[in-house]
Amino acid sequence: MKRRHRRAPKPATEPLPQPVLIERMADGGQGVTHLDGKLCFVAGALTGERVEAAWLNRHASYDEAITTAVLHASTERVTPPCAAYERCGGCVLQHQAPDAQARDKQAQLAEKLERLGNVAPDAWLAPVRGPAWHYRRRARLGVRHVPKKGGVLVGFRERRSSFLTDMTACPVLDARLSDLIAPLRTLIGSLSIAAQVPQLEVTATDDDVLLVMRHLAPLSDADRAALTAFAAE
């Protein structure tokens, strides 16, 4: 079987020739600007900010870049609560205040209604809001046995990479799911097939937590006993 090479985080290349002013937010959470008339999406930047950035990818009709320094910060910029945020690819807007995120998403919806449907609402209702943190009730988490990291990693992939983020909790996941990350690392690391578990799917309902573990080799009797005991806790 051909061994797949894991892709390391893609490094930023050369810096943009000048600082840029972010005009608005794109659907994917990047800031939008223009450089010499060409559209450019800048990760890690917010509307109204003046930033220095470096190219990640160049395309025929647009470029992609990443913020390297914020010269003038938006008042909507906040400190991300997650220690892994700068590396983790699970979310992209923890550096923006939740109220501003809701406003920008409404603006993006309005733009699409007008551009694609040629319609505009007579009035906007107040957005339906949930909690700012621990709102995500379902996720697919990668699993990887990495002896250099001390055992098994469980989490989202790093940005622009197939590597897994070294994490023990997640402020976006339902608290019941977040609290399972560290115990799952220990549990899977104890299995005889720890290196043959590539993925977990976790779901939190109102009453239960559900877990589906994908494994590429048969479980031993001891593995089954360990999983049964974990489920009973």
Side-chain angles (χ1 to χ4, degrees):
M1 180 177 178
K2 185 177 180 181
R3 183 179 179 84
R4 294 178 60 187
H5 294 284
R6 295 169 187 160
R7 181 164 56 89
K10 187 170 185 177
T13 56
E14 66 199 271
L16 271 60
Q18 62 196 48
V20 293
L21 178 66
I22 304 303
E23 304 161 13
R24 59 182 175 85
M25 299 300 291
D27 293 358
Q30 310 99 322
V32 176
T33 190
H34 288 81
L35 189 63
D36 294 330
K38 188 178 183 182
L39 182 66
C40 184
F41 297 98
V42 185
L46 299 176
T47 302
E49 291 189 330
R50 189 171 180 81
V51 303
E52 293 179 344
W55 273 298
L56 289 172
N57 292 296
R58 301 196 200 190
H59 307 274
S61 59
Y62 69 94
D63 291 338
E64 296 173 276
I66 186 169
T67 300
T68 55
V70 178
L71 305 180
H72 175 74
S74 167
T75 57
E76 296 168 352
R77 179 173 285 273
V78 297
T79 301
C82 179
Y85 175 67
E86 296 299 329
R87 306 185 310 278
C88 182
C91 51
V92 296
L93 279 175
Q94 283 192 25
H95 61 288
Q96 185 182 33
D99 287 346
Q101 293 183 37
R103 180 207 62 215
D104 285 344
K105 289 175 182 178
Q106 179 173 303
Q108 291 158 10
L109 175 60
E111 186 274 334
K112 286 179 173 55
L113 288 173
E114 182 176 354
R115 176 169 55 87
L116 301 177
N118 196 30
V119 295
D122 292 331
W124 287 93
L125 299 178
V128 177
R129 301 288 296 272
W133 307 109
H134 295 299
Y135 57 83
R136 185 171 175 180
R137 288 190 165 205
R138 185 174 183 179
R140 181 175 295 172
L141 302 175
V143 180
R144 188 159 292 160
H145 184 243
V146 186
K148 291 182 180 180
K149 293 282 188 177
V152 168
L153 301 182
V154 174
F156 296 105
R157 281 170 173 72
E158 293 182 354
R159 298 181 186 182
R160 306 179 304 281
S161 169
S162 63
F163 287 8
L164 286 189
T165 305
D166 189 351
M167 57 193 296
T168 56
C170 174
V172 170
L173 290 179
D174 182 290
R176 293 167 294 171
L177 301 181
S178 176
D179 291 345
L180 278 178
I181 293 176
L184 282 169
R185 290 176 59 158
T186 301
L187 170 68
I188 297 172
S190 72
L191 302 180
S192 66
I193 59 164
Q196 299 296 320
V197 180
Q199 182 178 288
L200 294 169
E201 291 192 27
V202 292
T203 302
T205 68
D206 289 342
D207 303 314
D208 294 301
V209 170
L210 310 177
L211 187 152
V212 177
M213 184 180 77
R214 182 185 178 199
H215 52 94
L216 305 179
L219 297 167
S220 68
D221 290 341
D223 293 339
R224 293 180 183 277
L227 291 169
T228 300
F230 185 83
E233 292 179 359

